[in-house]
Amino acid sequence: DDDDDDDEDGTATEGDLGLPEETMMKLRQAYRPVIVCVNKVDLVADDDGDNIVEQNNGEKKKKSPSSSVYVNTPAKAVQTIQKWRSALPDAFAILPTCAADGPNDPGVVALRSILLANDPNVDVGSAIRGLGRPLPAMFAATK
């Protein structure tokens, strides 16, 4: 299978994630929290039907790009998030985003809220809840 670019230990390889190994090592050894944004989650599923929903009348219809990509995140986006988690197990968060939706995209709002967490006017919890049900590997496991 060409899509299986994992090392023997199950971690994603640098080619699989598009970053050189040197960069991945710097991220793994970072002294500050690492946040990964997986952008364009609205575009990843067109080839295997993940964006197709069946209507009550049995007719199949493509989901609109503006529908919440976090409630029904395409399988390939979930797999990508899991690959990033395996490559960066200590990353603070791995957020699905659709920047084409602009500054009100739930992933962009969550990122902005995390980055501005010290601002008393920012409600990080609300922004995270805006993503919908957390996906496996989206947030680091508590130790």
Side-chain angles (χ1 to χ4, degrees), residues 4-14 16 86:
D4 190 13
D5 291 335
D6 292 351
D7 288 338
E8 289 178 20
D9 65 358
T11 59
T13 63
E14 65 274 6
D16 193 29
S86 71

Side-chain angles (χ1 to χ4, degrees), residues 55-77:
Q55 304 294 310
N56 288 340
N57 62 4
E59 183 179 314
K60 294 192 179 203
K61 180 181 174 186
K62 187 170 180 157
K63 289 182 202 173
S64 71
S66 62
S67 67
S68 176
V69 294
Y70 309 108
V71 175
N72 297 304
T73 303
K76 286 183 182 179

Side-chain angles (χ1 to χ4, degrees), residues 23 28 30 33-34 37-38 51 53 57 63 78 83 87 94 115 117 137:
T23 302
R28 287 184 193 112
V34 173
C37 293
V38 178
N51 282 338
V53 291
N57 62 4
K63 289 182 202 173
V78 173
K83 286 179 182 181
I94 301 171
L115 295 175

